[in-house]
Amino acid sequence: MSEDTRDIEALIDLMARLPGLGPRSARRAVLHLIKKRRQQLIPLAETLARVGATARECVTCGNIGTADQCDICRSEKRANGQICVVEDVADLWAMERGQAFRGRYHVLGGTLSALDAVGPEDLRIPQLVARIADEGVGEIILALPATVDGQTTAHYIADQLPGVTVTSLAQGVPMGGELDYLDDGTITAAFKARRAF
């Protein structure tokens, strides 16, 4: 690596670490950005710096935004007594794209996994239990992955919530499926066909 291209190679290396990009794709993306530096590279760099300085996790649900509490948690229209529990922020965003759910969310930050040494104390389950009393929640909708870890987490949460209606997504979510990869119609169908857990 020459002195002249050190920063460019460092950018390519950083881009290659992003999900879905390998070294070749990162190289092509960086070359494209450099060629279009005024239209794309400079605005991208400015936006990345701004988001890096302002992005934070919602103190209530775990969503990502630029305020201490996200728009969904602040909206009184979303306070309908339902909380949809998801594994990750990407799942929350997938649900919002489908517009099938108009309540509030709770992001766990993962699923229980004995192999990865992730226990209940590593997830945002205690915060969920606290929210139920604070927000007058009548239904918890478990929108967790249809994997062994996802279902283990769902059963654990259901056991922690006596006296609350606990439902889970039904039709449309394939076994082993991840919510972020499902189309909007599948997510909508799964919400409409949810059942008691």
Side-chain angles (χ1 to χ4, degrees):
M1 176 189 330
S2 72
E3 190 76 29
D4 293 342
T5 61
R6 181 176 292 143
D7 289 340
I8 294 170
E9 291 297 326
L11 179 58
I12 292 168
D13 182 53
L14 287 170
M15 294 282 286
R17 296 179 195 174
L18 294 173
L21 287 181
R24 287 184 181 173
S25 297
R27 186 171 300 283
R28 283 193 299 271
V30 168
L31 287 174
H32 174 79
L33 288 170
I34 290 170
K35 288 178 185 176
K36 305 273 188 180
R37 84 182 67 185
R38 283 196 183 105
Q39 300 92 341
Q40 293 179 354
L41 180 61
I42 293 171
L44 176 64
E46 291 169 352
T47 303
L48 284 171
R50 196 166 45 251
V51 169
T54 61
R56 60 187 57 136
E57 195 175 88
C58 175
V59 296
T60 304
C61 73
N63 191 9
I64 301 293
T66 56
D68 287 335
Q69 195 174 44
C70 71
D71 292 340
I72 295 170
C73 289
R74 284 195 312 263
S75 172
E76 285 303 316
K77 292 179 182 177
R78 303 297 287 259
N80 63 2
Q82 295 177 321
I83 292 180
C84 180
V85 178
V86 295
E87 176 185 9
D88 194 76
V89 173
D91 299 329
L92 186 157
W93 291 358
M95 293 290 190
E96 284 296 286
R97 279 195 317 267
Q99 298 182 352
F101 179 65
R102 303 312 301 162
R104 292 184 173 162
Y105 294 92
H106 190 83
V107 179
L108 293 177
T111 55
L112 297 173
S113 174
L115 291 175
D116 297 324
V118 177
E121 66 282 352
D122 300 312
L123 304 177
R124 300 182 72 246
I125 295 172
Q127 294 91 326
L128 173 64
V129 173
R131 285 184 69 187
I132 291 170
D134 293 345
E135 296 180 26
V137 175
E139 181 185 11
I140 294 293
I141 302 164
L142 300 175
L144 298 173
T147 61
V148 172
D149 290 344
Q151 295 310 298
T152 301
T153 306
H155 284 285
Y156 179 83
I157 290 172
D159 289 344
Q160 302 302 304
L161 306 175
V164 177
T165 300
V166 179
T167 59
S168 65
L169 297 186
Q171 300 172 358
V173 179
M175 288 304 290
E178 299 286 340
L179 292 174
D180 191 38
Y181 297 119
L182 298 178
D183 65 288
D184 301 343
T186 302
I187 290 174
T188 301
F191 251 105
K192 289 180 179 174
R194 67 184 183 268
R195 56 182 165 73
F197 189 76

